[in-house]
Amino acid sequence: MSIAERYSEILARKDAAAVRSGRKPEDVTLIAVTKTRFADELNEVIDAGATDVGENKVQEILEKHEKVKPVRWHMIGHLQTNKVKSVVDKVVMIHSVDSFHLAKEINKRAAAIDKVMDVLIEINSAMEATKSGIAADDVKALVSEIAENCENIRVCGLMCIPPRCEDPEDARGYFREAKIIFDDMKNWGLPEERVNPVELSMGMSNDFEVAIEEGSTIVRVGSSIFGPRRVR
Ligand SMILES: *Cc1c(COP(=O)(O)O)cnc(C)c1O
């Protein structure tokens, strides 16, 4: 199957899962995760209808940005503060905010280009040492601190990556936990122009349908569209 065919198949499964969970297809966004893929492969998926692509390394965004047709870029991987400056003007959303230190730098660089940067707070669901993200219990404190200090950031919701599991059902509990915090965010009394929780970014190739059933609004799918990742 071609990239275009696989993209269409994942899109159809995404739409069906949205309807199954009582929502409209357009209420759940599919991000094509293009890490390790070449610019021509991005153009192929864009031609197939992809509106949003996700990368987990700044370097790859910089390398491909100019070579690829217009599309919405998402930063979904761990972001170092010294690289914020080079992506803040290129991405529509940063999914991986996990410290006030990082938020402050995003705020500063966004302010410099007169932009309000949309971000998500990344939860490390099982507190795995190999993953970034913060503990579920720390989300409220971080969001409050950002809301108070960062005029050029809008917190749009949460991102989570549960532990890798064979059976997607094993991830369901983690997705449910993230959804509870996400729903609770509306009750924190924070100003809407700073905290507008509308996006819950969860679900990857092997578990995106379960994630949608549990309330995901953005799924990030790579290998099911492009095949196994290249070794970098
Ligand atoms: C690689 C990656 C994905 C996509 O993973 P697949 O299993 O290939 O679909 C999603 N989210 C993040 C943060 C990633 O780094």
Side-chain angles (χ1 to χ4, degrees), residues 6-225:
R6 281 196 298 257
Y7 176 77
S8 301
E9 189 190 297
I10 298 296
L11 191 67
R13 282 170 57 190
K14 183 274 288 179
D15 288 350
V19 170
R20 212 158 56 231
S21 73
R23 289 178 290 158
K24 298 200 263 316
E26 63 267 29
D27 293 341
V28 182
T29 302
L30 170 60
I31 294 182
V33 176
T34 48
K35 62 193 191 205
T36 80
R37 316 315 312 195
F38 300 129
D40 57 343
E41 295 171 296
L42 270 77
N43 283 326
E44 203 174 327
V45 84
I46 294 165
D47 284 340
T51 54
D52 293 75
V53 298
E55 292 280 352
N56 72 335
K57 289 208 158 60
V58 168
Q59 193 54 37
E60 288 200 57
I61 297 176
L62 301 183
E63 279 165 19
K64 294 177 225 176
H65 193 262
E66 296 307 316
K67 300 180 191 153
V68 167
K69 295 179 184 180
V71 70
R72 290 157 47 86
W73 292 82
H74 295 254
M75 177 61 195
I76 61 173
H78 180 66
L79 181 56
Q80 288 167 290
T81 46
N82 63 349
K83 299 198 171 142
V84 169
K85 182 174 189 276
S86 52
V87 284
V88 122
D89 60 335
K90 298 182 182 65
V91 300
V92 296
M93 186 173 276
I94 297 171
H95 292 228
S96 44
V97 171
D98 61 357
S99 71
F100 183 59
H101 178 66
L102 174 60
K104 261 195 314 196
E105 179 66 14
I106 294 170
N107 186 59
K108 177 176 148 190
R109 299 301 179 180
I113 58 166
D114 213 12
K115 177 177 183 172
V116 175
M117 188 73 236
D118 285 345
V119 310
L120 305 177
I121 305 301
E122 180 179 353
I123 299 178
N124 187 346
S125 294
M127 287 317 282
E128 294 170 278
T130 53
K131 283 182 183 151
S132 44
I134 61 169
D137 286 345
D138 296 334
V139 172
K140 188 174 181 179
L142 177 59
V143 172
S144 306
E145 200 173 10
I146 293 172
E148 218 167 282
N149 297 286
C150 302
E151 284 186 16
N152 288 78
I153 288 182
R154 182 167 46 217
V155 179
C156 297
L158 304 174
M159 188 263 252
C160 84
I161 312 179
R164 226 179 163 63
C165 26
E166 282 302 308
D167 182 356
E169 283 301 326
D170 294 340
R172 193 180 289 278
Y174 294 108
F175 293 144
R176 203 165 280 179
E177 189 186 28
K179 174 72 158 72
I180 289 170
I181 302 167
F182 173 71
D183 286 341
D184 197 38
M185 289 176 83
K186 296 181 195 78
N187 308 320
W188 294 349
L190 298 167
E192 206 177 303
E193 65 275 15
R194 299 282 169 74
V195 181
N196 182 29
V198 290
E199 302 292 2
L200 184 53
S201 171
M202 56 186 196
M204 308 178 17
S205 285
N206 68 331
D207 56 18
F208 73 92
E209 287 156 306
V210 171
I212 292 169
E213 287 164 16
E214 295 302 328
S216 170
T217 68
I218 300 178
V219 293
R220 309 175 311 268
V221 178
S223 42
S224 291
I225 297 172

